[in-house]
Amino acid sequence: MRARLATAGFLVVAVLTGLVAIGSGDYPISVPDVVRTLLGNGSPADTFIVEELRLPRVLTGLFAGAALALAGAVFQSLVRNPLGSPDVLGFTQGSATGALVAVVLVGGGAVAVAVGAVAGALATGAVIYLLAWRRGGHGHRLILVGIGVAGILTGVISWLLTRAQIVDAARAILWLTGSLDGRGWASVAVAGGGLALVAPVLLGHTRALTVLELGDDPALALGVRLRAVRLVTLTGAVLLCAAAAAAAGPVAFVALAAPQLAKRLTRASGPNLAPALCLGAALMVAADVVGQRALPGHQVPVGVVTGLLGGGYLIWLLARRSKHV
């Protein structure tokens, strides 16, 4: 019951945060007026600002944050380690590498970037899966392999930036930072479509992931097909990372922090997929609002805000774990 109430609370917070984000800006709109406009009863000025300028940005943030948090919860459950997030395991770097190849070597636009991010994430996922679970394996091996792959891909990203033209390099660096600025309905379709297709599959594997956290032998005894569950859930999580990266760039630390915060607030065992999904959406949009308002006259990309907050959270998590060693 506590977990269900917490999930409902996270969902309400995400919706309210989204409404506040839509109403904030140089042309402020109250939350009741935002709701009225979304229902089709707003003034022409409010309708244009809400539906054309701010709503796509907020929806992209909600969907991308939810996708990252859900992917992070799946990864942490698979490796049975709170550090098992796409940022650490190399999947974020894989998406970034694929997108940079599309920008620097192909010279493609938004569609090519999205395709490159998906292809890069899937290729990285395939390599890590084959290396980490070639002979059964376990979570620690996946983390070590992921860190190694992430290091290699970081070097590839730096090399691609040195080969890029000035305009392409500036565009790539902005994308690598992670930003919701200027996002339109195409970004909403990418992030929302990926979430709508993959989230039901992953949520349907909640019980299997919960049993997997007990270990391979108990899971086998309880009838869980280890290889199939790992392959399906890993593929789904990689696709969510790719969709989020294609829509908003490789935003850091949402996938790391949201599942752990959700688990601490729900106090429930298992992967806590639904609570993490709702909390991740709220965190992403809240970080974007902070980035828009933290420095008057300047907008800080959401990836910078999540990096600062998430880096502090990671240091705290590592320090807390070291006390128990």
Side-chain angles (χ1 to χ4, degrees):
M1 181 59 68
R2 180 187 175 91
R4 294 178 180 176
L5 291 175
T7 303
F10 299 155
L11 181 60
V12 171
V13 170
V15 173
L16 291 178
T17 305
L19 293 176
V20 171
I22 293 173
S24 62
D26 295 332
Y27 182 85
I29 305 173
S30 65
V31 172
D33 287 339
V34 170
V35 175
R36 191 177 300 111
T37 302
L38 292 175
L39 294 176
N41 299 319
S43 66
D46 289 351
T47 300
F48 173 76
I49 291 174
V50 169
E51 296 183 357
E52 299 299 325
L53 300 180
R54 296 178 181 173
L55 184 59
R57 176 176 185 149
V58 171
L59 288 179
T60 300
L62 288 172
F63 293 150
L68 287 172
L70 181 56
V74 170
F75 284 130
Q76 291 176 14
S77 178
L78 286 174
V79 303
R80 299 193 288 275
N81 193 309
L83 299 180
S85 77
D87 312 314
V88 177
L89 298 178
F91 297 102
T92 300
Q93 291 82 354
S95 296
T97 302
L100 282 182
V101 168
V103 172
V104 176
L105 301 183
V106 180
V111 176
V113 170
V115 173
V118 174
L122 288 175
T124 304
V127 170
I128 293 176
Y129 180 84
L130 291 175
L131 292 176
W133 277 313
R134 180 178 50 187
R135 296 177 181 174
H138 48 74
H140 295 298
R141 177 186 291 178
L142 189 144
I143 292 177
L144 293 175
V145 170
I147 291 174
V149 171
I152 294 173
L153 292 176
T154 300
V156 174
I157 290 171
S158 300
W159 176 75
L160 288 171
L161 289 176
T162 61
R163 287 181 52 87
Q165 300 294 325
I166 295 297
V167 176
D168 290 338
R171 177 184 166 199
I173 290 174
L174 179 61
W175 184 85
L176 286 172
T177 303
S179 175
L180 295 175
D181 188 35
R183 293 303 183 264
W185 289 107
S187 299
V188 176
V190 171
L195 187 65
L197 290 174
V198 178
V201 177
L202 294 181
L203 292 174
H205 284 76
T206 299
R207 180 185 176 278
L209 288 173
T210 302
V211 175
L212 268 178
E213 292 185 357
L214 301 175
D216 289 359
D217 291 337
L220 283 172
L222 292 172
V224 176
R225 295 183 297 173
L226 299 182
R227 189 180 299 272
V229 170
R230 283 173 174 159
L231 182 60
V232 170
T233 54
L234 181 63
T235 302
V238 170
L239 288 175
L240 287 179
C241 293
V251 179
F253 287 112
V254 173
L256 174 69
Q260 289 301 306
L261 291 174
K263 181 169 290 189
R264 282 168 170 74
L265 292 173
T266 60
R267 298 180 185 175
S269 60
N272 283 271
L273 299 185
L277 183 151
C278 298
L279 186 57
L283 288 176
M284 186 80 152
V285 177
D288 188 44
V289 173
V290 171
Q292 294 181 64
R293 299 289 166 259
L295 299 177
H298 300 276
Q299 288 197 19
V300 180
V302 65
V304 175
V305 178
T306 58
L308 292 173
L309 298 178
Y313 173 78
L314 178 60
I315 293 173
W316 173 85
L317 182 63
L318 291 173
R320 184 174 181 273
R321 286 178 63 86
S322 66
K323 295 178 181 180
H324 301 284
V325 175

